[in-house]
């Protein structure tokens, strides 16, 4: 109901300017189907003008690119500056850092007590050598859900409980405490991942969330899809994505609308949520607006295989004449692109977050995620790829950016022969090539 109220304020007149170049989108769609790079990157763009404005407006601490291994576009023409974000909690002032890429020859502002001045790079190098440039100072909480569907007549999985156990061990090595990690697994009669228990666990996870906190949600189990209902339709494919509790036969699935409402909506600004969904059909499982669109070999990784330009228009023949065929193609494609654009704008209007929400899902909405065996252990392929990638970054003493992490995971799964394509989404426009994974 709240979402239906919000849609009444959606500015549909603003779509007029956006719809004008729609014919160009039709051409781009056809080029995408031929394998061309997608230049319309919502999240992995080069917003140099915006970054420069941020540098002028905010105090930042400097770290040159060659001093931090593994940063994107590592060259002498770029410097990476760490903008402190301040917040209050329990009467105390805290600070954490966001990363911004700016030209190497640009002077930057540096915090000095309660004021800041413009200084040269050489004047501040020593002051950042001992600074913690990767972690907020707030609380850390995690909810981990693993379901093997023990005792079910069909649909049994083998690796999901192992997944959350491995994730827990990783988190314990990275600042999370045992008392702030809740596990729901169907081999434990006292903490079964029923629908009610999962929703109660989410309530626990987000309760008391404050700026600077890191919340971690991991789900490993079955995922599904259900037809979208209600007045407001924001799903491009008309289907809600779901996770499937161990008692789904009696209490049903948990749909993405519910996950967004309970897991994302309560979070305040500058609170970070990292969510990992190792399940089928999970590409847009949180209903957050911005999907990472890569360049290079993964330029089409976000695109539904059944949604290419030529597959959409394969039903047209030449029997009615070339002019008629072209006209029919263009009319249908413009209509399709228009509806898609309206849904994306509506999603941005309704679901853009103030908090820093990041979601890695095991595959696109039309794909499945593998339950497999790697190195003698039953595991979800994506969960293993996540832990393996983060561990290798740790061993290299590198804090990866989000784009580096998802690329590393895709490489790992591709090298192992898996067809699933993990997706990365976030709740607000973010340069995922500059923001680091805060674990």
């Amino acid at each position: 109901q709240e979402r239906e109220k919000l849609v009444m304020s959606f500015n549909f007149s603003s779509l007029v300017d956006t719809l004008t170049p729609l014919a160009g989108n039709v051409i781009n769609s056809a080029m995408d189907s031929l394998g061309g790079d997608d230049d319309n990157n919502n999240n992995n763009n080069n917003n140099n003008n915006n970054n420069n404005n941020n540098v002028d407006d905010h105090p930042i601490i400097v770290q040159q690119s060659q001093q931090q291994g593994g940063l994107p576009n590592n060259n002498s023409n770029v410097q990476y500056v760490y903008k402190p974000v301040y917040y209050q909690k329990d009467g105390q002032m805290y600070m954490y850092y966001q990363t911004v890429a700016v030209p190497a020859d640009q002077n930057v502002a540096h915090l000095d007590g309660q004021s800041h001045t413009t200084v040269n790079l050489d004047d501040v190098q020593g002051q950042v050598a001992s600074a913690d440039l990767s972690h907020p100072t707030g609380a850390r909480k995690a909810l981990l859900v693993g379901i093997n569907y023990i005792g079910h007549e069909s649909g049994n999985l083998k690796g999901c409980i192992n997944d959350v156990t491995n994730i827990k061990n990783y988190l314990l090595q990275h600042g999370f405490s045992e008392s702030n990690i809740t596990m729901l697994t169907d081999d434990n009669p006292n903490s079964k991942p029923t629908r009610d228990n999962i929703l109660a666990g989410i309530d626990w996870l987000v309760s008391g969330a404050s700026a600077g906190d890191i919340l971690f949600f991991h789900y490993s189990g079955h995922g599904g899809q259900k037809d979208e209902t209600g007045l407001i339709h924001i799903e491009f494919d008309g289907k809600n994505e779901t996770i499937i509790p161990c008692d789904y036969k009696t209490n049903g699935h948990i749909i993405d609308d519910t996950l967004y409402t309970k897991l994302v909506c309560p979070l305040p600004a500058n609170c970070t949520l990292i969510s990992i969904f190792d399940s089928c059909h999970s590409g847009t499982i949180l209903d957050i607006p911005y999907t990472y669109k890569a360049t290079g070999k993964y330029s089409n990784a976000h695109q539904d295989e059944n949604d290419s330009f030529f597959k959409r228009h394969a039903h047209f023949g030449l029997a009615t004449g070339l002019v008629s065929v072209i006209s029919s193609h263009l009319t249908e494609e413009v209509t399709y692109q228009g509806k898609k654009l309206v849904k994306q704008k509506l999603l941005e209007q309704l679901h853009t977050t103030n908090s820093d929400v990041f979601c890695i899902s095991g595959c696109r909405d039309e794909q499945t995620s593998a339950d497999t065996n790697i190195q003698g252990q039953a595991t979800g392929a994506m969960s293993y790829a996540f832990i393996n990638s983060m561990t290798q970054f740790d061993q290299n003493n590198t804090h990866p950016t989000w784009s580096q992490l998802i690329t590393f995971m895709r490489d790992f799964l591709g090298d192992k022969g898996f067809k699933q394509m993990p997706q990365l989404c976030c709740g607000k426009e973010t340069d995922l090539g500059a923001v680091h994974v805060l674990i």
Side-chain angles (χ1 to χ4, degrees), residues 118-291:
T118 300
V119 296
N120 293 319
L121 294 178
D122 293 340
D123 297 332
V124 298
Q125 291 302 321
Q127 300 180 49
V128 298
S130 60
D132 181 0
L133 298 176
S134 62
H135 298 101
T137 57
R140 295 177 177 224
K141 297 170 69 176
L143 174 63
L144 314 178
V145 181
I147 314 177
N148 281 349
Y149 303 91
I150 297 171
H152 287 240
E153 295 179 359
S154 60
N156 307 104
L157 300 174
K158 297 180 179 180
C160 300
I161 295 175
N162 289 339
D163 289 343
V164 296
T165 301
N166 293 335
I167 288 285
K168 177 182 178 180
N169 292 335
Y170 182 84
L171 295 179
L172 289 173
Q173 299 171 20
H174 291 80
F176 287 76
S177 65
E178 182 91 33
S179 61
N180 279 333
I181 298 177
T182 294
M183 288 183 62
L184 301 176
T185 56
D186 56 344
D187 63 344
N188 185 342
N190 297 319
S191 60
K192 282 189 173 293
T194 63
R195 175 187 172 87
D196 286 346
N197 284 347
I198 292 173
L199 295 179
I202 291 175
D203 288 341
W204 166 83
L205 181 65
V206 303
S207 64
S210 301
D213 291 352
I214 297 180
L215 309 180
F216 192 98
F217 178 83
H218 178 232
Y219 172 82
S220 183
H222 280 308
Q225 291 180 306
K226 289 182 175 295
D227 289 340
E228 194 172 22
T229 59
L231 295 177
I232 309 304
H233 289 193
I234 58 175
E235 300 283 353
F236 294 147
D237 59 1
K239 297 177 181 178
N240 284 318
E241 285 63 51
T242 73
I243 60 174
I244 303 180
C246 66
D247 62 341
Y248 71 93
K249 290 185 178 180
T250 55
N251 291 318
H253 297 201
I254 300 175
I255 66 172
D256 49 12
D257 293 353
T258 302
L259 290 171
Y260 172 80
T261 300
K262 295 186 72 69
L263 185 58
V264 177
C265 284
L267 302 180
N270 294 327
C271 176
T272 298
L273 170 67
I274 298 171
S275 53
I276 310 292
F277 287 87
D278 195 352
S279 52
C280 299
H281 312 298
S282 54
T284 60
I285 187 63
L286 277 190
D287 274 352
I288 49 180
Y290 300 100
T291 299

